[in-house]
């Protein structure tokens, strides 16, 4: 029996969010089917794997997380915003924008539909401590946590099996053989406190075809 969305682990829900974002990147005018996903494996490495040779990894100021996919090198970057004292901006602690590596590598603001329906983020203060809960417009009911570790320093975290993982980037494998592309696989790259290595979480996807 399938678990209801409300009971899925935050880790898995974040994977579903990335699938939704990928669809908006590839075909902004299309709607998409609701995918089902399953965590297949988690492996450790001493260095951060590069999902696609030739795709640059952004290293922007205050960068938190980024999303790439097979179709081209254009990347969505999420970055923290700070005030003059190095504290997270209370009104807008996180922003999202394009890094257009398939062109000249320039940054570009999100288009309105990308911001409103998918890539845009909302943040609310954690009432029980420091930091913020961050939700993406593609899936507003599920959040990751923005934590500040020092002046001008912050990171995004998710939880799986009672363990915290810091988000590094996500990569979507798209099957573009047919008229309607679909997501076959998600690779989510994370790290954790107290380790110098990284984790690759391989997630299988089904039912992710585009719909008119």
């Amino acid at each position: 029996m399938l678990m209801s969305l409300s009971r899925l682990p935050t880790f898995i829900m974040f994977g579903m969010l990335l699938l939704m974002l990928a669809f908006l990147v590839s075909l902004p005018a299309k709607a998409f089917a609701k995918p089902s996903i399953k965590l297949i494996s988690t492996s450790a490495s001493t260095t951060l794997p590069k999902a696609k040779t030739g795709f640059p990894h952004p290293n922007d100021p205050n960068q938190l997380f980024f999303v790439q996919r097979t179709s081209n090198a254009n990347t969505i970057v999420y970055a923290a915003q700070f005030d003059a004292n190095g504290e997270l901006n209370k009104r807008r602690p996180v922003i999202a924008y394009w890094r257009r590596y398939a062109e000249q590598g320039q940054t570009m603001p999100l288009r309105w539909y990308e911001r409103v329906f998918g890539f845009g983020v909302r943040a609310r203060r954690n009432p029980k401590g420091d930091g913020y809960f961050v939700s993406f417009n593609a899936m507003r009911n599920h959040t990751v946590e923005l934590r500040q570790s020092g002046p001008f320093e912050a990171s995004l975290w998710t939880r799986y099996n009672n363990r915290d993982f810091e988000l590094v980037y996500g990569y979507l494998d798209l099957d573009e053989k047919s008229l309607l592309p679909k997501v076959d696989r998600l690779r989510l790259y994370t790290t954790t406190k107290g380790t110098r290595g990284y984790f690759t979480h391989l997630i299988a996807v089904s039912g992710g075809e585009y719909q008119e």
Side-chain angles (χ1 to χ4, degrees):
M1 186 169 122
L2 292 175
M3 184 183 297
S4 69
L5 290 181
S6 61
R7 297 178 60 191
L8 283 173
T10 300
F11 182 86
I12 296 297
M13 295 308 304
F14 187 76
M16 295 183 74
L17 164 66
L18 291 184
L19 298 181
M20 293 182 180
L21 299 186
F23 298 147
L24 285 173
V25 169
S26 298
L27 292 175
K30 302 285 185 179
F32 48 85
K34 292 181 180 179
S36 62
I37 65 177
K38 180 180 179 181
L39 179 64
I40 300 300
S41 65
T42 296
S43 58
S45 59
T46 56
T47 58
L48 179 63
K50 202 162 190 178
K52 178 73 171 180
T53 301
F55 279 19
H57 281 186
N59 186 23
D60 289 354
N62 306 322
Q63 179 177 304
L64 297 168
F65 180 70
F66 63 92
V67 179
Q68 295 183 324
R69 75 273 188 249
T70 54
S71 52
N72 62 55
N74 290 336
T75 301
I76 292 288
V77 178
Y78 295 90
Q81 289 201 125
F82 300 95
D83 62 23
N85 297 318
E87 298 296 320
L88 284 166
N89 185 301
K90 294 180 180 180
R91 296 187 61 184
R92 199 180 178 197
V94 182
I95 58 171
Y97 56 89
W98 283 105
R99 176 63 74 174
R100 306 287 290 187
Y101 289 122
E103 298 167 7
Q104 303 298 319
Q106 76 276 18
T107 61
M108 188 182 85
L110 298 181
R111 302 175 181 91
W112 71 267
Y113 50 81
E114 294 165 341
R115 184 181 68 254
V116 171
F117 297 110
F119 301 108
V121 292
R122 301 185 179 205
R124 58 183 175 88
R125 192 82 184 185
N126 183 351
K128 297 182 178 180
D130 295 332
Y132 294 81
F133 293 123
V134 176
S135 62
F136 298 79
N137 287 342
M139 190 175 287
R140 295 181 183 177
N141 292 332
H142 303 280
T143 62
V144 293
E145 189 175 355
L146 176 63
R147 303 175 185 172
Q148 181 159 8
S149 55
F152 300 102
E153 295 181 359
S155 51
L156 283 174
W157 294 80
T158 189
R159 175 171 282 267
Y160 179 66
N161 280 347
N162 296 317
R163 187 175 184 182
D164 288 341
F165 291 89
E166 181 183 353
L167 303 177
V168 181
Y169 79 102
Y171 186 86
L172 288 303
D173 291 301
L174 301 179
D175 180 358
E176 300 179 283
K177 296 177 183 177
S178 61
L179 180 62
L180 299 178
K182 65 179 181 179
V183 177
D184 277 341
R185 185 173 63 173
L186 162 67
R187 282 172 272 176
L188 185 62
Y189 299 92
T190 66
T191 187
T192 61
K193 287 183 177 179
T195 66
R196 296 184 178 180
Y198 297 88
F199 296 91
T200 300
H201 311 278
L202 181 62
I203 299 172
V205 183
S206 61
E209 296 85 359
Y210 291 105
Q211 304 276 336
E212 286 289 351

